[in-house]
Amino acid sequence: MTHAALNTRFAQRFQLTTPIALAPMALATGGALAAACAHAGALGLVGGGYGDLAWTQREYALAHDLLKDDTASHARLGCGFITWKLDENAEALDWVLTQKPCAVMLSFGDPRPYAARIAQAGAQLICQVQRLDQVPQALEAGASVIVAQGGEAGGHGANALEGRSTFTLVPEIADYLAAHSPDTLLLAAGGVADGRGLAAALMLGADGALVGSRLWATTESLAAAGAKTQATHTNGDGTARSMVFDILRRKNWPAPYDFRAIRNDLHRALESNVAALQATPDAARADYDAGVKAGDFTRAHATVGEAVGLIADIPAAQTVIARITQQAQRLLGK
């Protein structure tokens, strides 16, 4: 049974027992994590990320197989993609749509070219935004759900010039939707890692929360074990948002997006002169590549947000979702 305080419009629309969605984190949110979250009563979104067809097919098929005997949980399975990469090749999206996902989440780009095919497949469109001025475009695309992502989030998001804080972005978008599209649901993203964050998101006007970093640090996540361990020893002061790891990883992200991760030794050595890194990246890339190969996270990156300070262990995803839900229930029941 869903607690009354958590039986939000989002929980009802997607038949969830808690108003939580798993962030579709590229290369970390594989089939096992998505299935575990769906089984725990949350929305499980496989991280289709950059649109690698073979990876997406393998991981989505794994989630499908893990949930094949659980009809209710299978109905909570979807996928997410980086929109600007779909502009280069949308075959992974097209394949996923043949699998009848309940939802497709698009982030970082114009969702409108993909809206019709998503709707025709019977999936609900979830659009992630980082600013209020991106909301009208998402509504034009027919988004069922808007995700308001604050700059606290791990991984990709808006840079310091263009980004917003979750705490102010969520209520402003909530007010906008109430006035212009009241049936469109709202999720908060960025910094939500426990029941306090979920309860706060609901108080700010959201219908639920998209959770990334806290579910990244679980047993089912495909993130490297060394990265997860590093996260448990890092507090919220220990991340940075910049272009550094995108340059090192040869990821040509468009403006206004950059990347938040743990501010490790290699990042600190490079962050003061990003222009020089862009001009002559080869030596730094070789150092980074060697760090990845060695599992050395003083050089390799760990993709978490400011909520890393709330991560002290690496449990199963079902345990994390139960903790968040139970704490939020207690707080909202006071």
Side-chain angles (χ1 to χ4, degrees), residues 166-239:
T166 308
F167 201 83
T168 58
L169 182 61
V170 171
E172 191 171 358
I173 293 181
D175 290 347
Y176 184 92
L177 293 177
H180 296 91
S181 186
D183 292 333
T184 303
L185 307 185
L186 177 63
L187 300 183
V192 180
D194 60 16
R196 294 173 295 182
L198 177 56
L202 299 182
M203 290 297 97
L204 291 172
D207 297 288
L210 185 83
V211 177
S213 296
R214 178 62 276 203
L215 288 166
W216 174 94
T218 56
T219 55
E220 297 92 344
S221 165
L222 295 177
K228 297 178 195 178
T229 299
Q230 184 185 44
T232 64
H233 299 294
T234 303
N235 65 33
D237 297 344
T239 73

Side-chain angles (χ1 to χ4, degrees), residues 252-308:
N252 296 315
W253 271 72
Y257 306 111
D258 59 11
F259 187 78
R260 184 178 293 281
I262 289 178
R263 192 181 182 191
N264 62 10
D265 291 349
L266 183 58
H267 191 287
R268 289 178 183 277
L270 300 170
E271 64 192 31
S272 62
N273 197 344
V274 174
L277 174 62
Q278 287 179 301
T280 55
D282 289 351
R285 283 174 172 168
D287 195 12
Y288 169 81
D289 291 345
V292 171
K293 185 175 181 179
D296 175 5
F297 288 92
T298 66
R299 293 178 288 170
H301 74 283
T303 311
V304 285
E306 292 180 2
V308 68

Side-chain angles (χ1 to χ4, degrees), residues 66-156:
L66 291 170
L67 297 173
K68 65 182 178 182
D69 297 323
D70 185 346
T71 303
S73 296
H74 192 274
R76 303 177 186 126
L77 182 63
C79 197
F81 294 96
I82 295 167
T83 313
W84 64 264
K85 285 298 291 185
L86 293 181
D87 296 344
E88 299 173 5
N89 186 348
E91 64 177 356
L93 169 64
D94 292 334
W95 180 85
V96 165
L97 292 177
T98 68
Q99 306 302 299
K100 302 300 181 184
C102 72
V104 171
M105 180 171 160
L106 300 181
S107 308
F108 315 116
D110 185 353
R112 293 173 296 182
Y114 310 100
R117 71 181 84 171
I118 291 169
Q120 288 166 4
Q124 297 199 53
L125 174 60
I126 302 174
C127 291
Q128 182 165 255
V129 303
Q130 293 77 34
R131 295 172 54 85
L132 179 64
D133 60 18
Q134 295 169 329
V135 175
Q137 185 183 81
L139 294 179
E140 184 181 339
S144 295
V145 183
I146 300 290
V147 177
Q149 184 199 41
E152 302 93 324
H156 286 101

